[in-house]
Amino acid sequence: MAWRFLPTWIDLESVSIALHLPARTTLKRTGVATLSTSEKSASTALRLTLAPTLLRVAFDPYLVIDLPPPLGDMGLQQVEYDFRSGAMTTNVFYTGGLVRVGKGSAEDEARAFLRGLVTSTPIAIPPYDPTGDTDLVLTVRQVLANLEGEGAGGAVVRGATVAARLKLLGELVAAVGPDGVRIPAGATIEARVDLEGSQAELETAPRVQRIQLDCSSAVLRKAGVDQADVRRFVFRRGGDIAVEDVHPLGSLGKAAGAESIVRLFAALTTGGGAAALDPRRLQPTVVEGLVKEEIARALRPALLDWVRQNATAVQGLDLWKVLGIEEGQGVA
């Protein structure tokens, strides 16, 4: 499914934002009831998930609907909003107490909480199609601003995690000359981005601490030849790159043990140091580490070049600052 705010060769299956709230953070008070995060966990993840047909707000661990004795307390696990019909479904349950009443009212309050999140956004008027919302980033920002108005924002938020599942409808190539990475059409990517900052900073000037990309296939090319399939990339603030789950391809993949890893390293390196590596004297894990370091070095110029070309792609954000990279660093 094509999303108008994304290139046509990317299919976004879902995206979620998790805000981390401290224990006993009060989100809402209604009469004698208090809606707050649990005291049994140091923090609660408030996760907003956006998919083509729904918005889900989930809590891990569940929120506590605190009522005075002898009324039984309740828990709120999640609320879902159907974009097509505007229907809302809740997961509310009793957690204890002698007198179990008021579940219907609690469900009504949970729905009111969600309505408060989508107010003043296109989401509030069904049917809504997020794939056709050209201002989807602004819509999500407004939802986050409404969340602060509901009592879950402000100074208590100290970071967030953004996760997304993507499918490539076309081939993606990031390269400098004959070297780089090729991700084939049809590949799936699961991304996790750890952000730092208060809610206001997350809305306007987020700071990326770590990005993890898990790919079904990402082919590393050296001198125009496919050398290895890399399944996991880790980017850290400042532009450092690490790779994990590396699989040699072609003739390199037919060899076994340390020999295949040394041959891969020799194929990747541009210097003559690999010739001195003796597979009889090097442990496979040691050489594998060298291979991964060499791959990371090969990828870094491609990353920096991509940032240079797309530094202002997202309106209001500077990717150099978001990723903590000095502008122009390592780019000719």
Side-chain angles (χ1 to χ4, degrees):
M1 184 178 296
W3 294 69
R4 290 189 182 178
F5 80 107
L6 289 174
T8 57
W9 44 269
I10 294 180
D11 177 22
L12 177 63
E13 295 184 4
S14 65
V15 60
S16 66
I17 302 175
L19 303 177
H20 309 294
L21 307 175
R24 302 302 297 177
T25 297
T26 298
L27 276 74
K28 195 177 186 65
R29 294 182 185 275
T30 304
V32 296
T34 300
L35 183 65
S36 62
T37 58
S38 174
E39 63 182 6
K40 297 180 180 179
S41 178
S43 65
T44 293
L46 186 159
R47 181 172 290 105
L48 294 93
T49 299
L50 179 70
T53 61
L54 65 84
L55 173 67
R56 178 187 299 117
V57 183
F59 306 93
D60 184 20
Y62 60 81
L63 292 184
V64 176
I65 303 174
D66 196 6
L67 295 168
L71 299 179
D73 291 344
M74 287 174 277
L76 171 60
Q77 193 75 71
Q78 68 179 37
V79 192
E80 284 189 359
Y81 178 85
D82 189 316
F83 291 145
R84 297 161 297 187
S85 65
M88 297 184 185
T89 57
T90 67
N91 183 4
V92 176
F93 49 89
Y94 291 107
T95 61
L98 298 176
V99 181
R100 297 189 168 189
V101 296
K103 184 178 178 182
S105 297
E107 291 173 338
D108 288 342
E109 289 299 329
R111 286 187 282 266
F113 176 78
L114 186 52
R115 278 194 294 271
L117 294 186
V118 301
T119 188
S120 301
T121 74
I123 300 175
I125 305 175
Y128 167 72
D129 179 10
T131 66
D133 188 347
T134 57
D135 294 322
L136 184 60
V137 173
L138 296 178
T139 299
V140 172
R141 283 182 172 178
Q142 183 59 52
V143 170
L144 292 175
N146 292 341
L147 180 63
E148 183 172 2
E150 292 290 324
V156 297
V157 175
R158 282 294 174 264
T161 299
V162 179
R165 181 176 173 84
L166 311 164
K167 183 177 181 179
L168 296 188
L169 304 179
E171 185 180 62
L172 173 63
V173 177
V176 176
D179 304 338
V181 175
R182 175 179 59 84
I183 303 179
T188 58
I189 300 175
E190 293 189 7
R192 173 191 167 106
V193 183
D194 294 327
L195 302 171
E196 180 186 72
S198 65
Q199 183 170 319
E201 291 170 329
L202 293 174
E203 293 173 18
T204 58
R207 298 187 298 276
V208 170
Q209 295 301 311
R210 186 178 184 274
I211 301 174
Q212 178 175 309
L213 300 178
D214 288 286
C215 302
S216 59
S217 178
V219 179
L220 177 74
R221 296 177 65 83
K222 185 70 178 179
V225 178
D226 293 347
Q227 300 288 353
D229 193 0
V230 183
R231 305 292 176 82
R232 174 171 292 175
F233 301 83
V234 178
F235 304 85
R236 292 183 175 83
R237 186 166 183 79
D240 291 336
I241 302 175
V243 295
E244 301 174 7
D245 199 4
V246 179
H247 301 264
L249 295 176
S251 60
L252 296 175
K254 297 177 181 179
E259 183 181 358
S260 68
I261 299 176
V262 171
R263 291 172 63 193
L264 174 59
F265 182 74
L268 292 173
T269 186
T270 57
L277 296 179
D278 187 344
R280 295 168 298 179
R281 298 181 180 178
L282 291 173
Q283 294 296 321
T285 55
V286 174
V287 183
E288 185 178 1
L290 295 174
V291 173
K292 291 179 178 179
E293 290 178 8
E294 182 64 30
I295 294 175
R297 279 195 294 271
L299 294 178
R300 183 174 170 80
L303 169 66
L304 295 176
D305 188 62
W306 184 88
V307 173
R308 178 182 60 80
Q309 296 182 45
N310 297 275
T312 59
V314 180
Q315 185 176 3
L317 295 180
D318 184 336
L319 286 182
W320 293 111
K321 294 180 179 178
V322 169
L323 296 173
I325 303 174
E326 294 184 10
E327 189 169 353
Q329 178 181 341
V331 180

